[in-house]
Amino acid sequence: MLEILGTIGFDYRVAIANLVSFLIIYFILKKWVFGPMKKIIDDRRSMIQQGIDKAQQSETELLVAQQQAEEALKQARAEANGIVASAKETADDQLAHAKKKAQEEADAIVAKADVQIEKNKTQMEKELFEKTAGLVAMGVQKILEEDVDTKRNAEVSKRALELLKNQ
Amino acid sequence: MNFFSIQRDIPGIDPVFLFDVAGFPIAASTVMIFLIIVLFVVLAVVVRKTFTTIPTRFQTVMEFLYVGMVDMLDEVTNDKKRSEVIFPVIGAMFIYLLVANLLGLVPGLSEIMVNGNQLFQTPTGDFNTTFGLALGSIIVINLISIKEWGIIAYLEKFFKFRDVIKGFKKSIGEGSISLVDLFVGVLDIVGEIAKVISLSIRLFANMYAGQILMIILLGAFAYILPGVWYGMNIFVGALQAMVFAVLVAAYYMLAIKPAEEAGTQE
């Protein structure tokens, strides 16, 4: 076998030397070339993966935040609607109350005015009656052209008043 | 003086010994391997000093080659964990053979002479380099196989006595068939030796023949024609490096337990 291999230049010493040399190359490449390159590639892949994960996480967080915002907006809108409704109700109440009060006040003023009017009317009626009675007495005196004394004047006036009253 | 041809001696098939170190002969192919070691040391320094997470152009090219090799190995093994385990060996083998094959094509390198001999000889143009590498690979693969299966199961792959006994216990017919299996098992030992021979001779013959053809072509016509062959040699050099590495990976996969049995497949 060795003889056959010898025909194509086999020499175990060179074979061993070259194999050992390859082992040195293997050691150098494994330790200082493949190792660092694998680490760098793995680190980069890990960085990219982290970036993708972060982006996905951010996307998820954004969606959650959007949902929360929408929910908060919805809640705020509901609260605002409640507040508006409540304010409207209060305003209506206050308006009704004010209207009622105003009506009462107006009624009171009207009543007071009525009393005053009645009072004035009575006063005016009294004054009118007295003046009318005087005028009647003067008229009667003129008509009768008789000289009546004060006592008689008073009687006539009284009678005239009674007549007026009866009429 | 002929301007249209370059006459050179066709190199012999035997290794060219240049000098002795402590009684150990150093061949021209070994000197070339030393040069390759220096190149790889420089590469290692560059990788350690300049390679960062944000790559330069050179780093991008190197990483492209690295990832390409890993992917190629993944296709052979079809098992990422196995690929990670054997990548340093297969990757180192591929790069070493690629550089060794291509370095021999660098103009002027083969013209450096020492005592009338070439100082640098393409390592793969020396049978000892390819043989040493192939033998080392097959030995390591068999050691891994022993570790994986256990020594008894490993030996049973070659000596199937248990199958013969089982066969004869069942029937004479099955026993006779199992004798064939026993013979085939013994043939597998020859197969292991054949792997070493085929791996080493395939690479050596391709590279050596390439060199000889180049010298013949240069001797016939120094222009254009050798250039075409030069380009072809670059292709053949890369292809042979890949074939060698892929075959070793394939032999490794044949020697170990299947992925589903070992529970490693991803």
Side-chain angles (χ1 to χ4, degrees):
Chain A
M1 181 77 172
L2 282 174
E3 271 181 32
I4 297 166
L5 292 175
T7 57
I8 49 173
F10 177 70
D11 187 308
Y12 75 94
R13 295 167 302 177
V14 183
I16 290 169
N18 291 0
L19 181 60
V20 170
S21 302
F22 167 71
L23 291 177
I24 294 168
I25 288 172
Y26 161 71
F27 177 78
I28 292 168
L29 288 176
K30 188 188 176 191
K31 185 94 175 163
W32 292 311
V33 178
F34 295 152
M37 278 177 76
K38 185 179 184 303
K39 191 179 175 300
I40 286 167
I41 291 170
D42 287 348
D43 285 352
R44 191 182 302 123
R45 279 181 183 158
S46 157
M47 260 169 66
I48 292 167
Q49 192 55 47
Q50 277 178 0
I52 291 168
D53 289 347
K54 275 186 184 174
Q56 280 175 346
Q57 198 185 337
S58 300
E59 210 172 313
T60 313
E61 281 175 1
L62 183 68
L63 278 174
V64 170
Q66 274 177 345
Q67 278 178 353
Q68 282 177 345
E70 270 176 30
E71 215 165 286
L73 210 62
K74 206 173 163 184
Q75 203 176 338
R77 208 170 283 148
E79 276 179 20
N81 286 342
I83 289 165
V84 168
S86 167
K88 202 177 170 188
E89 201 177 326
T90 310
D92 286 349
D93 283 354
Q94 283 180 348
L95 189 65
H97 182 70
K99 270 184 182 175
K100 197 180 168 188
K101 201 177 171 185
Q103 189 63 48
E104 280 172 3
E105 279 178 6
D107 288 349
I109 290 164
V110 169
K112 203 176 170 184
D114 283 350
V115 169
Q116 189 63 40
I117 289 165
E118 194 61 37
K119 205 175 167 183
N120 289 349
K121 191 182 160 188
T122 312
Q123 182 69 29
M124 280 168 72
E125 274 177 354
K126 195 180 170 185
E127 283 175 11
L128 186 65
F129 179 72
E130 282 171 1
K131 280 184 180 175
T132 309
L135 285 170
V136 169
M138 272 169 70
V140 171
Q141 194 178 359
K142 288 267 176 151
I143 292 161
L144 293 176
E145 287 181 346
E146 68 185 46
D147 192 19
V148 288
D149 58 8
T150 312
K151 193 181 172 184
R152 183 74 181 152
N153 193 20
E155 271 179 22
V156 171
S157 296
K158 196 177 175 183
R159 242 170 46 207
L161 280 172
E162 275 171 4
L163 279 169
L164 283 169
K165 269 183 187 173
N166 290 335
Q167 283 178 355
Chain B
M1 195 170 174
N2 189 348
F3 286 103
F4 296 100
S5 66
I6 300 168
Q7 301 297 327
R8 278 173 59 186
D9 293 334
I10 290 174
I13 206 161
D14 292 327
V16 180
F17 292 111
L18 298 173
F19 48 87
D20 284 9
V21 173
F24 205 88
I26 301 296
S29 60
T30 313
V31 175
M32 181 75 116
I33 297 172
F34 290 160
L35 179 67
I36 294 170
I37 291 173
V38 172
L39 287 176
F40 284 138
V41 168
V42 172
L43 176 69
V45 171
V46 170
V47 168
R48 286 187 69 82
K49 292 275 179 193
T50 64
F51 278 27
T52 56
T53 319
I54 300 157
T56 57
R57 278 184 190 176
F58 176 67
Q59 187 181 338
T60 307
V61 171
M62 292 303 291
E63 283 183 10
F64 177 76
L65 287 173
Y66 177 87
V67 173
M69 284 192 296
V70 173
D71 289 346
M72 187 179 76
L73 194 56
D74 276 347
E75 278 182 28
V76 175
T77 61
N78 204 20
D79 185 337
K80 277 202 178 298
K81 281 189 180 172
R82 292 283 192 198
S83 296
E84 276 178 23
V85 171
I86 61 161
F87 175 74
V89 181
I90 304 297
M93 207 172 269
F94 173 70
I95 292 188
Y96 162 62
L97 291 175
L98 181 71
V99 173
N101 291 348
L102 299 185
L103 213 57
L105 299 173
V106 173
L109 207 62
S110 57
E111 305 305 321
I112 303 169
M113 308 297 269
V114 172
N115 299 329
N117 293 315
Q118 278 184 358
L119 178 60
F120 299 113
Q121 184 196 353
T122 306
T124 44
D126 181 346
F127 176 68
N128 297 297
T129 308
T130 59
F131 184 79
L133 203 56
L135 183 66
S137 304
I138 298 301
I139 288 172
V140 169
I141 285 168
N142 278 281
L143 288 174
I144 290 169
S145 186
I146 290 169
K147 193 184 166 193
E148 188 103 356
W149 293 92
I151 184 75
I152 304 293
Y154 171 79
L155 289 173
E156 277 180 350
K157 284 202 290 186
F158 302 110
F159 308 105
K160 299 178 179 176
F161 294 119
R162 194 179 288 186
D163 289 350
V164 174
I165 294 164
K166 274 185 190 172
F168 275 112
K169 272 184 183 174
K170 282 183 183 173
S171 65
I172 301 287
E174 280 195 35
S176 307
I177 291 166
S178 63
L179 278 174
V180 177
D181 286 342
L182 178 72
F183 179 70
V184 170
V186 175
L187 272 183
D188 282 346
I189 298 170
V190 180
E192 291 300 306
I193 297 163
K195 281 177 189 173
V196 178
I197 304 292
S198 70
L199 268 178
S200 53
I201 289 184
R202 181 186 296 108
L203 181 58
F204 161 69
N206 271 289
M207 299 318 294
Y208 184 68
Q211 284 175 3
I212 290 175
L213 204 58
M214 178 66 89
I215 289 166
I216 291 169
L217 286 172
L218 283 169
F221 189 67
Y223 305 102
I224 303 169
L225 202 57
V228 176
W229 184 244
Y230 208 83
M232 185 72 180
N233 260 357
I234 293 173
F235 173 71
V236 169
L239 185 74
Q240 287 305 320
M242 195 182 83
V243 167
F244 193 98
V246 167
L247 279 174
V248 172
Y251 293 152
Y252 166 79
M253 288 309 291
L254 289 172
I256 56 164
K257 284 181 180 173
E260 54 270 22
E261 205 173 318
T264 59
Q265 199 164 24
E266 279 192 344

